Amino acid sequence: MFGRDEAAELRDIWGRASDAAAMAVVPDAAAKNQALWLSAKRGSLQIGPAPVTAPGANEILVRNYAVAVNPVDRLLPVMGDFFAPWLTYPTVPGSDVAGEVLAVGSAVTRFKVGDRVLGHAAFLEKSRNRAAEGAFQRLTVLLEHMASPIPAGMDYADAAVLPLGLSTAACALFQAGHLALRPPAAQALPTGETVLIWGGSTSVGSNAIQLAAAAGYEVFTTASPRNFAYVQRLGAAQVFDYHSPSVIRDVIRAMNGKTLAGAVAIGAGSARACVAVAGACRGRRFVSMVSSPIPFDAAPAGWRRALWLAPALARLLAANASLAVRARRLGVKTRFVWGGALVDNAVGPMIYADYLPRALADGRHVPAPPPLITGNGLAAIQEALARLEAGVSAQKIVVTL
Ligand SMILES: NC(=O)c1ccc[n+]([C@@H]2O[C@H](COP(=O)([O-])OP(=O)(O)OC[C@H]3O[C@@H](n4cnc5c(N)ncnc54)[C@H](OP(=O)(O)O)[C@@H]3O)[C@@H](O)[C@H]2O)c1
């Protein structure tokens, strides 16, 4: 249930649910927006009317037909104040959108009304921070440079699996200050270097494998044996079982005579493993860390959070300190990845404008992991988040709208 202040704030927003400027741009869509609101920091999720926001100069307004859920969406009501303290509430969560363009801003050149698009909804970024840019609503405002056309024949549900996984992978691989690899290209020449992607069957890993291979790097990855063929189809040259007690030794042995271009650490325990491998290899001793050394995925909601948080933060500090000591001893640099950072730098347009449209149309980049559609309508998103908490393996949970 909402508290009295939260309810009053939501009523205020619902009262403004039809923005006059937006009605002028999209008359028949106005007053039809509905959203899954997050009422307040550590608040609850509730469906209600939402304003229709006219797209700014470099933005498009999209009617969503499919959205995907990510670990961060589940974590936001529990830990949002910890990892995104700038967020203003109420807000609309969600990063992965696929739908049809309803209106375009005055400076938009790549899209027109009626186009089918996918995009990374940027509500969570400090530079954006507004409910209109969250995915879990009927109508979302997207930045033009964070959207790509969906090729003919591709379903909205397939397209929706891409954005946050793709963005996070791109941040780790291509940003200055991270691995800063060569960009992906239609016919990239082999670089002769190898990238290690720990956690290749995750959503982030599935995109990282494809991007690194498209940039001309040999890819080594890890997964459970049931997903070996899957990650190889995405472009991994060698795959190792991360459950095996000898996995670190196995990867180091396979790297013999090769040059490392860096590692991307995804999943629990991945940073320690990648640091150990990078410290034993020739080449670039750099690990881009996508997952926290202590998984926050299990953070409980409500009053139990306070009991859980202090020991979890203590474990996080200890794990970070021990990782830093180990990395320093082995001459390995580490850096945490923020998967939305590309919204504000050159990697965003490089991926969504320069690479993805042709790569998707040619089938060089496939939507992966494949969608698992768990329901239809905004009300199905909470169930989808619960399903994600139960765990997935090489699947992306999608809700159609
Ligand atoms: N920093 C950021 O901005 C950012 C952005 C997005 C995600 N993330 C984080 O990245 C991680 C992956 O997110 P996602 O949405 O891509 O995950 P996901 O698709 O939900 O992950 C499911 C996969 O995780 C794999 N897995 C589980 N434990 C693993 C481990 N210890 N090592 C390697 N793989 C493991 C499983 O592989 P098998 O089934 O093959 O065993 C399964 O396929 C999460 O920790 C998430 O919080 C961070």
Coordinates of all heavy atoms in Angstrom, one line a residue, residues 69-72 75 164-165 168 198-205 222-227 242-243 266-270 289-292 297 336-340 369 388 392-396, ligand 1:
V69 N 12.5 -7.4 -18.7 CA 12.9 -7.1 -17.3 C 14.3 -7.5 -17.0 O 14.8 -8.5 -17.6 CB 11.9 -7.7 -16.3 CG1 10.5 -7.3 -16.5 CG2 12.0 -9.3 -16.3
N70 N 14.9 -6.7 -16.2 CA 16.4 -6.9 -15.8 C 16.5 -7.0 -14.3 O 15.7 -6.5 -13.6 CB 17.2 -5.7 -16.4 CG 17.3 -5.7 -17.9 OD1 18.0 -6.5 -18.4 ND2 16.5 -4.9 -18.5
P71 N 17.7 -7.5 -13.8 CA 17.9 -7.6 -12.4 C 17.7 -6.2 -11.7 O 17.2 -6.1 -10.6 CB 19.3 -8.1 -12.3 CG 19.5 -8.9 -13.5 CD 18.7 -8.2 -14.6
V72 N 18.1 -5.1 -12.4 CA 18.1 -3.8 -11.8 C 16.6 -3.4 -11.6 O 16.4 -2.7 -10.6 CB 18.8 -2.8 -12.7 CG1 18.1 -2.6 -14.0 CG2 19.0 -1.4 -12.0
L75 N 15.7 -4.8 -8.3 CA 16.5 -4.2 -7.2 C 16.0 -2.8 -6.9 O 16.2 -2.3 -5.8 CB 17.9 -4.2 -7.7 CG 19.0 -4.8 -6.7 CD1 18.5 -6.1 -6.1 CD2 20.3 -4.9 -7.4
L164 N 19.3 -3.2 -22.6 CA 20.2 -3.0 -21.5 C 21.4 -4.0 -21.5 O 22.5 -3.7 -21.2 CB 19.5 -3.1 -20.1 CG 20.4 -2.8 -18.9 CD1 20.9 -1.4 -19.0 CD2 19.7 -3.0 -17.6
G165 N 21.1 -5.3 -22.0 CA 22.2 -6.2 -22.1 C 23.3 -5.8 -23.1 O 24.5 -5.8 -22.9
T168 N 25.1 -2.5 -21.7 CA 26.1 -2.8 -20.7 C 27.3 -3.5 -21.3 O 28.5 -3.2 -20.9 CB 25.5 -3.8 -19.6 OG1 24.2 -3.2 -19.2 CG2 26.4 -3.9 -18.4
W198 N 33.4 -13.6 -19.0 CA 33.0 -14.5 -17.9 C 31.5 -14.4 -17.8 O 31.0 -13.3 -17.4 CB 33.7 -14.2 -16.6 CG 33.7 -15.4 -15.7 CD1 32.6 -15.8 -14.9 CD2 34.7 -16.3 -15.5 NE1 33.0 -16.9 -14.2 CE2 34.2 -17.3 -14.5 CE3 36.0 -16.5 -16.0 CZ2 35.0 -18.3 -14.0 CZ3 36.8 -17.6 -15.5 CH2 36.3 -18.4 -14.5
G199 N 30.7 -15.5 -18.0 CA 29.3 -15.4 -17.9 C 28.6 -15.1 -19.2 O 27.8 -14.2 -19.4
G200 N 29.0 -15.9 -20.2 CA 28.6 -15.7 -21.6 C 27.1 -16.0 -21.9 O 26.6 -15.4 -22.8
S201 N 26.5 -16.8 -21.0 CA 25.0 -17.1 -21.3 C 24.1 -16.1 -20.6 O 22.9 -16.2 -20.8 CB 24.7 -18.5 -20.8 OG 24.9 -18.6 -19.4
T202 N 24.6 -15.1 -19.9 CA 23.8 -14.0 -19.3 C 23.3 -13.1 -20.5 O 23.9 -13.2 -21.6 CB 24.6 -13.2 -18.3 OG1 25.7 -12.5 -19.0 CG2 25.1 -14.0 -17.2
S203 N 22.4 -12.3 -20.2 CA 21.9 -11.3 -21.2 C 23.1 -10.4 -21.6 O 23.3 -10.2 -22.8 CB 20.8 -10.5 -20.6 OG 20.5 -9.4 -21.4
V204 N 23.8 -9.9 -20.6 CA 25.0 -9.0 -20.9 C 26.0 -9.8 -21.7 O 26.6 -9.4 -22.8 CB 25.6 -8.4 -19.7 CG1 26.8 -7.6 -20.0 CG2 24.6 -7.6 -18.9
G205 N 26.3 -11.0 -21.3 CA 27.3 -11.9 -21.9 C 27.0 -12.2 -23.3 O 27.8 -12.2 -24.2
T222 N 32.6 -18.3 -20.4 CA 32.2 -19.4 -19.5 C 30.7 -19.5 -19.5 O 30.0 -18.5 -19.8 CB 32.7 -19.1 -18.1 OG1 31.9 -18.0 -17.6 CG2 34.1 -18.9 -18.0
A223 N 30.2 -20.7 -19.2 CA 28.8 -21.0 -19.1 C 28.6 -22.4 -18.5 O 29.6 -23.1 -18.4 CB 28.1 -21.0 -20.5
S224 N 27.4 -22.7 -18.2 CA 27.1 -24.1 -17.8 C 27.1 -25.0 -19.1 O 26.8 -24.5 -20.2 CB 25.7 -24.2 -17.2 OG 25.7 -23.6 -15.9
P225 N 27.5 -26.2 -19.0 CA 27.6 -27.1 -20.2 C 26.3 -27.1 -21.1 O 26.4 -27.1 -22.3 CB 27.9 -28.5 -19.6 CG 28.6 -28.2 -18.3 CD 28.0 -26.9 -17.8
R226 N 25.1 -27.0 -20.5 CA 23.9 -27.0 -21.3 C 23.9 -25.8 -22.2 O 23.1 -25.8 -23.2 CB 22.6 -26.9 -20.4 CG 22.5 -25.7 -19.5 CD 21.2 -25.6 -18.8 NE 21.2 -24.5 -17.9 CZ 21.6 -24.5 -16.6 NH1 21.9 -25.7 -16.1 NH2 21.6 -23.5 -15.9
N227 N 24.7 -24.7 -22.0 CA 24.7 -23.5 -22.8 C 26.0 -23.4 -23.7 O 26.2 -22.4 -24.3 CB 24.5 -22.3 -21.9 CG 23.1 -22.2 -21.4 OD1 22.1 -22.5 -22.0 ND2 23.0 -21.7 -20.1
Y242 N 32.0 -22.7 -15.7 CA 32.5 -22.0 -14.6 C 32.2 -22.7 -13.3 O 32.7 -22.3 -12.2 CB 31.8 -20.6 -14.6 CG 30.3 -20.5 -14.4 CD1 29.7 -20.5 -13.1 CD2 29.5 -20.5 -15.5 CE1 28.3 -20.5 -13.0 CE2 28.1 -20.4 -15.3 CZ 27.5 -20.5 -14.1 OH 26.2 -20.4 -13.9
H243 N 31.5 -23.8 -13.3 CA 31.3 -24.6 -12.1 C 32.5 -25.5 -11.8 O 32.7 -26.0 -10.7 CB 30.1 -25.5 -12.2 CG 28.8 -24.8 -12.6 ND1 28.1 -24.1 -11.6 CD2 28.2 -24.7 -13.7 CE1 27.0 -23.6 -12.2 NE2 27.0 -23.9 -13.5
I266 N 31.1 -11.1 -15.5 CA 29.7 -11.1 -15.3 C 29.3 -12.3 -14.4 O 29.7 -13.4 -14.7 CB 28.9 -11.2 -16.6 CG1 29.5 -10.2 -17.6 CG2 27.4 -10.9 -16.4 CD1 29.1 -10.5 -19.1
G267 N 28.5 -12.0 -13.3 CA 28.1 -13.1 -12.5 C 28.9 -13.2 -11.2 O 30.0 -12.6 -11.0
A268 N 28.3 -13.9 -10.2 CA 28.9 -14.0 -8.9 C 30.3 -14.6 -9.0 O 30.4 -15.7 -9.6 CB 28.0 -14.8 -8.0
G269 N 31.2 -14.0 -8.3 CA 32.6 -14.6 -8.3 C 33.4 -14.4 -9.6 O 34.6 -14.8 -9.7
S270 N 32.8 -13.7 -10.6 CA 33.5 -13.5 -11.9 C 34.7 -12.6 -11.8 O 35.7 -12.8 -12.5 CB 32.5 -13.0 -12.9 OG 31.9 -11.8 -12.5
M289 N 34.2 -4.9 -14.6 CA 33.3 -5.7 -13.7 C 31.9 -5.2 -13.9 O 31.5 -4.1 -13.6 CB 33.7 -5.5 -12.3 CG 35.2 -5.9 -12.0 SD 35.5 -5.9 -10.2 CE 35.3 -4.1 -9.9
V290 N 31.1 -6.1 -14.4 CA 29.6 -5.8 -14.6 C 28.8 -6.1 -13.3 O 27.9 -5.4 -13.0 CB 29.1 -6.7 -15.8 CG1 27.6 -6.6 -15.9 CG2 29.7 -6.2 -17.1
S291 N 29.2 -7.2 -12.6 CA 28.5 -7.6 -11.4 C 29.2 -7.2 -10.2 O 30.5 -7.2 -10.2 CB 28.3 -9.1 -11.4 OG 27.5 -9.6 -12.5
S292 N 28.5 -6.9 -9.1 CA 29.1 -6.5 -7.9 C 29.7 -7.8 -7.3 O 29.2 -8.9 -7.4 CB 28.0 -6.0 -7.0 OG 28.4 -6.1 -5.6
D297 N 21.4 -9.2 -5.6 CA 20.1 -9.7 -6.2 C 19.2 -10.3 -5.2 O 18.0 -10.3 -5.3 CB 20.4 -10.7 -7.3 CG 21.3 -10.2 -8.4 OD1 21.8 -9.0 -8.2 OD2 21.5 -10.9 -9.4
F336 N 34.4 -0.8 -12.4 CA 33.0 -1.2 -12.4 C 32.3 -0.6 -13.6 O 32.6 0.6 -14.0 CB 32.3 -0.8 -11.1 CG 31.0 -1.4 -11.0 CD1 30.8 -2.8 -10.7 CD2 29.8 -0.7 -11.1 CE1 29.6 -3.4 -10.6 CE2 28.6 -1.2 -11.0 CZ 28.4 -2.6 -10.8
V337 N 31.4 -1.3 -14.3 CA 30.7 -0.9 -15.4 C 29.4 -0.3 -15.0 O 28.7 -1.0 -14.2 CB 30.5 -2.0 -16.4 CG1 29.6 -1.6 -17.6 CG2 31.7 -2.7 -16.8
W338 N 29.0 0.8 -15.5 CA 27.6 1.3 -15.4 C 27.0 1.2 -16.8 O 27.4 1.9 -17.7 CB 27.6 2.8 -14.9 CG 26.2 3.3 -14.7 CD1 25.6 4.2 -15.6 CD2 25.2 3.1 -13.7 NE1 24.3 4.5 -15.2 CE2 24.1 3.8 -14.0 CE3 25.3 2.3 -12.6 CZ2 22.9 3.8 -13.2 CZ3 24.1 2.3 -11.8 CH2 23.0 3.0 -12.1
G339 N 26.0 0.3 -16.9 CA 25.5 0.0 -18.2 C 24.7 1.1 -19.0 O 24.4 0.9 -20.1
G340 N 24.5 2.2 -18.3 CA 23.8 3.3 -19.0 C 24.7 4.4 -19.3 O 24.3 5.5 -19.9
P369 N 19.7 -13.2 -25.0 CA 19.1 -14.6 -25.1 C 17.7 -14.5 -25.6 O 17.1 -13.4 -25.6 CB 19.1 -15.0 -23.6 CG 19.9 -14.0 -22.8 CD 19.9 -12.8 -23.6
L388 N 12.0 -13.6 -12.7 CA 13.4 -13.3 -12.9 C 14.2 -13.7 -11.6 O 15.3 -14.2 -11.6 CB 13.6 -11.9 -13.2 CG 15.1 -11.4 -13.5 CD1 15.6 -12.2 -14.7 CD2 15.1 -9.9 -13.7
V392 N 17.0 -17.4 -14.4 CA 16.9 -17.8 -15.8 C 18.2 -18.4 -16.3 O 19.2 -18.1 -15.7 CB 16.4 -16.6 -16.7 CG1 15.0 -16.2 -16.4 CG2 17.4 -15.5 -16.6
S393 N 18.1 -19.1 -17.3 CA 19.4 -19.6 -18.0 C 19.3 -19.4 -19.5 O 18.4 -20.0 -20.1 CB 19.5 -21.1 -17.7 OG 20.7 -21.6 -18.3
A394 N 20.1 -18.5 -20.0 CA 20.1 -18.2 -21.4 C 18.7 -17.8 -21.9 O 18.2 -18.3 -23.0 CB 20.7 -19.3 -22.2
Q395 N 17.9 -17.1 -21.1 CA 16.6 -16.6 -21.5 C 16.4 -15.2 -21.0 O 17.0 -14.8 -20.0 CB 15.5 -17.5 -20.9 CG 15.3 -18.8 -21.6 CD 14.2 -19.6 -21.0 OE1 14.1 -19.7 -19.8 NE2 13.3 -20.1 -21.9
K396 N 15.6 -14.4 -21.7 CA 15.3 -13.1 -21.3 C 13.8 -13.0 -21.1 O 13.0 -13.3 -22.0 CB 15.7 -12.1 -22.4 CG 15.6 -10.6 -21.9 CD 16.9 -10.1 -21.3 CE 16.8 -8.7 -20.9 NZ 18.0 -8.2 -20.3
Ligands
LIG1 N1 26.7 -2.9 -14.0 C1 25.6 -2.8 -14.8 O1 25.2 -1.7 -15.2 C2 24.7 -4.0 -15.0 C3 23.8 -4.0 -16.1 C4 23.1 -5.2 -16.3 C5 23.3 -6.3 -15.5 N2 24.2 -6.2 -14.5 C6 24.5 -7.4 -13.7 O2 25.1 -8.4 -14.6 C7 24.7 -9.7 -14.2 C8 24.0 -10.4 -15.3 O3 22.8 -9.7 -15.6 P1 21.9 -10.3 -16.8 O4 20.6 -9.6 -16.8 O5 22.8 -10.4 -18.0 O6 21.8 -11.8 -16.2 P2 20.8 -13.0 -16.6 O7 20.7 -13.1 -18.1 O8 19.6 -12.9 -15.8 O9 21.7 -14.2 -16.0 C9 21.4 -15.5 -16.1 C10 22.6 -16.3 -16.4 O10 23.6 -16.1 -15.4 C11 24.5 -17.1 -15.5 N3 25.3 -17.2 -14.3 C12 24.8 -17.4 -13.1 N4 25.8 -17.4 -12.1 C13 26.9 -17.2 -12.8 C14 28.3 -17.1 -12.4 N5 28.7 -17.3 -11.2 N6 29.2 -16.9 -13.4 C15 28.8 -16.8 -14.7 N7 27.5 -16.9 -15.1 C16 26.6 -17.1 -14.2 C17 23.7 -18.3 -15.9 O11 24.4 -19.1 -16.7 P3 24.2 -20.7 -16.9 O12 22.7 -20.9 -17.0 O13 24.9 -21.0 -18.2 O14 24.8 -21.4 -15.7 C18 22.4 -17.8 -16.6 O15 22.4 -18.0 -17.9 C19 23.9 -9.5 -12.9 O16 24.7 -9.6 -11.8 C20 23.3 -8.1 -13.1 O17 23.0 -7.5 -11.8 C21 24.9 -5.1 -14.3

